[in-house]
Amino acid sequence: MDKRQTYRVPLIPPCKARFEWCGRSYSGITVADVGVNGCCIHAPLRWSDDFIEFPLLERWEFISPSLPKGSTRAQVVWIAPQDGMPGGGMDMGIQFLHPPAGFTNLLFRFVTLRSSPGVRPWH
């Protein structure tokens, strides 16, 4: 399922994100963890194979003062049903696609400052 090879740090409290998918806008989506190349979101959306068939997310933006401003493209790289979420929902692995250098640099700084020595957040 999740084959990331870079650090991820949990976001406590979680932040939010917004994006467009298949012509529809989604906002207030919970971001559980973040790394330089992607993140994990908890989406209150019904399970859909459409995310695998059409994985491209346009205008991905974090809604957080601590994370990069501006938007980038992203793609869904894995999805899994979220256990115990009322009304359903899913966890989704997101990979950023060719983000601007400033976006990546800010994420690198954010992750580096929150990583603890000896902790391997990609597990």
Side-chain angles (χ1 to χ4, degrees):
M1 175 180 11
D2 188 5
K3 296 179 172 88
R4 71 182 92 121
Q5 297 179 8
T6 60
Y7 275 146
R8 292 270 181 99
V9 293
L11 296 173
I12 302 171
C15 80
K16 303 292 183 179
R18 64 178 148 242
F19 57 85
E20 292 180 8
W21 177 70
C22 290
R24 289 183 279 182
S25 295
Y26 296 87
S27 187
I29 303 298
T30 301
V31 180
D33 66 32
V34 67
V36 174
N37 298 320
C39 63
C40 177
I41 62 173
H42 301 308
L45 307 168
R46 293 193 173 268
W47 175 269
S48 174
D49 287 335
D50 290 343
F51 282 103
I52 297 300
E53 288 185 55
F54 307 102
L56 188 61
L57 306 177
E58 298 286 351
R59 296 187 177 101
W60 171 276
E61 294 181 65
F62 289 108
I63 305 169
S64 169
S66 302
L67 293 169
K69 304 291 181 245
S71 68
T72 189
R73 295 174 82 196
Q75 71 178 2
V76 176
V77 292
W78 59 263
I79 55 178
Q82 202 177 67
D83 295 331
M85 184 172 197
M90 60 185 136
D91 291 335
M92 300 170 68
I94 306 300
Q95 179 181 17
F96 305 128
L97 299 176
H98 313 292
F103 189 95
T104 302
N105 292 341
L106 286 172
L107 279 177
F108 178 79
R109 190 173 308 131
F110 182 88
V111 170
T112 301
L113 290 173
R114 283 157 184 81
S115 295
S116 299
V119 174
R120 299 177 73 166
W122 61 77
H123 285 167

